């Protein structure tokens, strides 16, 4: 009813998955890159998780469009199936014929024969399962058995699991540890940032035929606040705000309209109480951390004798006195004690909220009751930034980080990297702090970490060839600081600046497109920031 009033030729904020409105933020592109990388590997499983409405299905559909022509794809949207029903659905998707009332073995044989034939004909087979958090453990195990069919170089069936965060919890179950070990790429899709919300809204309006701004800056901020950056909620709120704007014959849409839309669509907003942790509890935690740091600085966090921290377990005083059993027993007792302490600390670190509480404490912030960790950080002027990487990635950024870890049984636990000295990191597990060596960290680190930081004000969303001279000079100066070289005076986006930018992007796992998009600018600003705690005072490894 309002299309003519706003100069639109279509409804821009329908929640139907219209491919014409496809918008890929830097995070969506990164998720797509991880899925593509996983399919290019020899492993059998790729994992994509994210909250409801963050765009997981959008990414999967985009992936389908990018698959080579020699790929046969099965897409399962309703995974609440038994093992028999799942195999039958897979056969239906791949057009594999089977008789009436087939057995599990008959369906498995049919699928295996199809996969072998496909491989001999130079074709790939991919199974995509949406809402995979609803899969039963026994069904996932059946999928793992299907992926056992392989050649010397690759799996004949590749599986993409897409689901909500509960899927990560499901895969941590003991009976699924073999499947978890076969996941070659995983990515957790975060909501849109404030800048990305503005770009998202403008993109959909332009596709629908309106190129003039329609939402005031205050409306965008309110939209990001009420939607938490979730595209589906953004669509619902924008749709209701357009109706209100049309009814009042008022443009642009302001924050009051968005607030009203939020009350109508999402219900009355609960009062956000900034309730701090009780002072006494906070003080006791600080005392506990201090005592734990003193205690565990005398013990090793290493699970093997060869990896013992040489600062924590004293060697036998006189190695020539091999018959001094008392000294040997003392050292063994200390080692066993440190191992038990480590096991206990890991067992108490299964809840990621404890790790986030620790990193907030390092910034002199505290969690707010009723808000997530990132929401609490945002309320206090900080931003969350999740990244895939390794030891060097954390060292380069030099910020404290929440790290996603796995134990020897491939069960997840979470810690906070508090400090670094050389080849050691001070790792906080729940309320205990332990120095761990690099080889131990690398064995247990899953590759995902998250930091808090204070983003600069008024940061542009992109610096490319059409940027103004001030932006180009800022980019040149920033890259020079990172590479510890002398900046040049630039007046255009020349080939040297583009090469330096691409080198920076490649070094940090970003798309080397020679355009400083949102992810690249965040990475640069992290290096340039002088606000907040650091892991150490030593020079970063660029």
């Amino acid at each position: 009813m309002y299309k003519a009033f706003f100069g639109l030729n279509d409804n821009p904020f329908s929640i139907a998955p219209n491919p014409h409105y496809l918008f890929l933020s830097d995070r969506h592109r990164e998720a797509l890159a991880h899925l593509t990388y996983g399919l290019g590997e020899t492993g059998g499983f790729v994992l994509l998780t994210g909250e409801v409405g963050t765009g997981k299905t959008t990414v999967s559909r985009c992936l389908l469009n990018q698959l080579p022509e020699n790929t046969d794809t099965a897409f399962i949207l309703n995974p609440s199936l038994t093992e028999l029903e799942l195999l039958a659905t897979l056969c239906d998707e791949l057009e594999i014929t089977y008789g009436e009332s087939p057995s599990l073995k008959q369906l498995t044989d049919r699928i295996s024969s199809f996969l072998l034939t496909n491989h001999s004909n130079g074709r790939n087979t991919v199974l995509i399962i949406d809402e995979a958090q609803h899969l039963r453990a026994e069904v996932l195990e059946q999928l793992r058995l299907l992926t056992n069919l392989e050649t010397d170089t690759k799996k004949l069936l590749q599986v993409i699991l897409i689901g909500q965060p509960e899927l990560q919890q499901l895969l941590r179950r003991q009976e699924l540890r073999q499947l978890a070990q076969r996941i070659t790429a995983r990515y957790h899709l975060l909501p849109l940032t404030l800048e990305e919300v503005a770009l998202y809204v403008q993109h959909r309006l332009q596709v629908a035929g309106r190129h003039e701004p329609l939402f005031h800056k205050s409306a965008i901020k309110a939209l990001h606040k009420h939607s938490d950056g979730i595209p589906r909620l953004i669509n619902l709120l924008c749709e209701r705000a357009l109706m209100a704007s049309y009814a009042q014959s008022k443009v642009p849409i302001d924050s009051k309209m968005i607030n009203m839309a939020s009350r109508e669509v999402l219900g009355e907003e609960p009062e956000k109480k900034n309730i701090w942790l009780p002072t006494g509890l906070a003080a006791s935690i600080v005392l506990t951390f201090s005592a734990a740091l003193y205690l565990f600085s005398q013990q090793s966090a290493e699970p093997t004798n060869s990896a013992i921290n040489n600062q924590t377990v004293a060697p036998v005083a006189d190695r020539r006195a091999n018959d001094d059993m008392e000294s040997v027993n003392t050292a063994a007792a200390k080692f066993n004690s440190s191992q038990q302490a480590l096991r206990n600390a890991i067992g108490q670190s299964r809840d990621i909220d404890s790790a986030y509480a620790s990193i907030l404490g390092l910034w002199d912030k505290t969690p707010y009751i009723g808000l997530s960790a990132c929401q609490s950080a945002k309320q206090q002027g900080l931003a969350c930034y999740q990244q895939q990487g390794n030891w060097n990635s954390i060292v380069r950024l030099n910020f404290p980080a929440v790290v996603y870890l796995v134990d020897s049984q491939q069960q997840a636990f979470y810690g906070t990297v508090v400090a670094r000295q050389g080849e050691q990191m001070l790792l906080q597990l729940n309320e205990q702090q332990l120095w761990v060596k690099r080889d131990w960290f690398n064995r247990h680190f899953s590759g995902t970490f998250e930091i808090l930081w204070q983003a600069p004000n008024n940061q542009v969303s992109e610096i490319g060839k059409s940027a103004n001279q001030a932006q180009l000079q800022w980019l040149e100066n920033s890259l020079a600081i990172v590479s510890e070289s002398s900046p040049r005076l630039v007046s255009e986006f020349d080939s040297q600046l583009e090469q330096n930018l691409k080198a920076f992007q490649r070094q940090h796992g970003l798309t080397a497109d020679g355009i400083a998009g949102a992810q690249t600018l965040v990475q640069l600003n992290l290096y340039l920031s002088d606000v907040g705690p650091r892991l150490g005072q030593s020079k970063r490894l660029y």
Side-chain angles (χ1 to χ4, degrees):
M1 68 177 73
Y2 55 68
K3 289 189 292 187
F5 178 77
F6 293 116
L8 300 168
N9 51 39
D10 193 11
N11 181 357
F13 297 108
S14 170
I15 60 174
N18 189 335
H20 293 295
Y21 288 92
L22 177 64
F23 173 83
L24 291 178
S25 69
D26 283 354
R27 292 177 178 179
H28 289 85
R29 295 180 191 279
E30 191 173 345
L32 184 61
H34 274 74
L35 296 185
T36 305
Y37 168 79
L39 291 179
E41 291 292 293
T42 58
F45 288 89
V46 177
L47 180 66
L48 174 64
T49 56
E51 288 291 349
V52 176
T54 49
K56 302 183 296 297
T57 302
T58 298
V59 172
S60 65
R61 291 181 183 276
C62 187
L63 177 67
L64 282 175
N65 293 332
Q66 294 186 12
L67 291 176
E69 294 184 358
N70 65 334
T71 303
D72 290 316
T73 306
F75 206 125
I76 296 180
L77 297 173
N78 180 15
S80 298
L81 307 167
T82 65
E83 301 101 300
L84 193 64
E85 291 170 337
L86 178 80
L87 295 185
T89 304
L90 178 57
C91 287
D92 293 339
E93 287 287 313
L94 296 174
E95 300 182 353
I96 302 173
T97 58
Y98 56 90
E100 293 185 7
S101 302
S103 66
L104 199 63
K105 181 181 183 306
Q106 289 172 331
L107 290 175
T108 302
D109 290 344
R110 289 276 186 173
I111 294 172
S112 298
S113 177
F114 175 87
L115 294 175
L116 288 169
T117 302
N118 245 19
H119 177 68
S120 64
N121 293 333
R123 299 189 64 81
N124 302 318
T125 310
V126 175
L127 168 61
I128 302 176
I129 302 181
D130 203 358
E131 302 294 340
Q133 73 274 3
H134 296 303
L135 287 169
R136 303 175 187 177
E138 57 270 21
V139 176
L140 281 168
E141 178 62 15
Q142 183 63 48
L143 281 175
R144 183 188 70 81
L145 294 175
L146 274 181
T147 62
N148 281 340
L149 193 61
E150 58 189 355
T151 66
D152 292 337
T153 58
K154 65 175 292 185
K155 300 283 186 181
L156 299 190
L157 176 66
Q158 294 178 301
V159 182
I160 299 176
L161 299 177
I162 302 172
Q164 297 169 25
E166 294 85 350
L167 177 59
Q168 297 183 22
Q169 299 292 335
L170 176 62
L171 294 174
R172 290 171 189 147
R173 294 172 60 168
Q174 179 71 12
E175 63 267 33
L176 295 176
R177 63 188 185 279
Q178 288 180 290
L179 187 151
Q181 293 173 2
R182 296 189 181 186
I183 298 175
T184 57
R186 60 180 75 206
Y187 189 84
H188 184 72
L189 189 60
L190 293 174
L192 301 178
T193 64
L194 174 60
E195 293 77 11
E196 289 169 339
V197 169
L199 293 173
Y200 175 82
V201 171
Q202 189 60 29
H203 167 78
R204 295 189 74 97
L205 288 172
Q206 288 177 354
V207 173
R210 181 185 177 96
H211 296 274
E212 299 81 7
L214 183 56
F215 287 75
H216 192 271
K217 288 183 178 181
S218 65
I220 296 297
K221 290 182 179 179
L223 193 59
H224 180 256
K225 173 184 175 182
H226 293 302
S227 69
D228 284 327
I230 296 177
R232 188 177 301 163
L233 293 181
I234 294 173
N235 285 0
L236 292 173
L237 293 175
C238 286
E239 171 71 16
R240 188 60 58 94
L242 285 177
M243 293 178 64
S245 176
Y246 170 71
Q248 300 174 30
S249 298
K250 178 182 177 181
V251 290
I253 295 171
D254 57 21
S255 59
K256 292 181 180 179
M257 295 182 187
I258 298 296
N259 292 337
M260 181 175 292
S262 176
R263 289 192 291 270
E264 294 175 354
V265 173
L266 307 177
E268 287 294 333
E269 292 180 297
E271 183 180 355
K272 293 185 177 180
K273 299 180 180 179
N274 294 346
I275 302 178
W276 298 81
L277 290 175
T279 304
L281 175 59
S284 66
I285 291 176
V286 171
L287 290 174
T288 302
F289 286 171
S290 300
L293 173 58
Y294 174 79
L295 173 62
F296 285 97
S297 66
Q298 309 303 315
Q299 299 175 349
S300 171
E302 295 302 298
T304 63
N305 280 301
S306 61
I308 297 259
N309 184 332
N310 57 15
Q311 296 181 2
T312 58
V313 179
V316 178
D318 187 355
R319 296 188 180 277
R320 293 171 298 179
N322 292 325
D323 57 346
D324 189 351
M325 294 305 298
E326 182 178 353
S327 297
V328 173
N329 290 337
T330 300
K334 285 187 177 182
F335 176 77
N336 291 334
S337 175
S338 75
Q339 301 313 296
Q340 185 60 46
L342 175 62
R343 286 192 290 270
N344 291 341
I346 290 175
Q348 295 169 4
S349 304
R350 305 296 184 183
D351 185 359
I352 195 171
D353 289 338
S354 297
Y356 277 114
S358 300
I359 198 171
L360 281 167
L362 294 172
W363 282 84
D364 294 326
K365 312 294 183 183
T366 59
Y368 287 165
I369 295 176
L371 297 182
S372 69
C374 285
Q375 288 172 336
S376 295
K378 183 171 65 175
Q379 291 288 328
Q380 300 172 75
L382 300 178
C384 290
Y385 181 63
Q386 187 187 88
Q387 187 171 335
Q388 302 288 318
N390 52 26
W391 167 285
N392 288 330
S393 305
I394 298 174
V395 170
R396 278 195 297 263
L397 290 176
N398 203 27
F399 279 88
V402 171
V403 288
Y404 293 52
L405 306 163
V406 290
D407 60 20
S408 58
Q409 302 299 319
Q410 293 302 305
Q411 298 296 305
F413 67 103
Y414 307 93
T416 305
V417 176
V418 174
R420 181 182 71 91
Q421 288 184 2
E423 295 295 288
Q424 300 176 75
M425 281 183 175
L426 183 59
L427 182 67
Q428 184 164 319
L429 299 176
N430 196 19
E431 297 184 0
Q432 303 184 41
Q433 291 186 342
L434 310 96
W435 283 101
V436 299
K437 296 182 73 174
R438 180 171 181 167
D439 59 345
W440 183 93
F441 183 85
N442 289 339
R443 287 199 303 274
H444 294 278
F445 184 41
S446 70
T448 299
F449 66 95
E450 191 149 5
I451 66 172
L452 299 181
W453 74 301
Q454 185 171 311
N457 296 325
N458 303 320
Q459 174 64 53
V460 297
S461 60
E462 180 178 295
I463 300 178
K465 293 184 180 298
S466 60
N468 61 47
Q469 185 175 358
Q471 294 171 348
L472 294 177
Q473 190 63 57
W474 179 90
L475 181 60
E476 166 69 24
N477 295 346
S478 301
L479 292 171
I481 292 173
V482 172
S483 61
E484 297 183 317
S485 60
S486 299
R488 304 172 299 130
L489 183 63
V490 296
S491 58
E492 61 179 357
F493 202 116
D494 59 15
S495 60
Q496 184 62 50
L497 180 57
E498 183 176 7
Q499 289 176 11
N500 294 342
L501 177 58
K502 287 183 177 180
F504 176 84
Q505 291 173 323
R506 283 192 294 268
Q507 185 179 15
H508 296 87
L510 303 168
T511 303
D513 55 6
I515 299 174
Q519 290 291 315
T520 300
L521 292 175
V522 166
Q523 197 83 26
L524 269 174
N525 278 299
L526 283 170
Y527 282 119
L528 302 175
S529 174
D530 57 1
V531 179
R534 293 296 189 271
L535 295 181
Q537 298 301 319
S538 59
K539 185 185 296 183
R540 292 193 185 104
L541 300 178
Y542 292 113

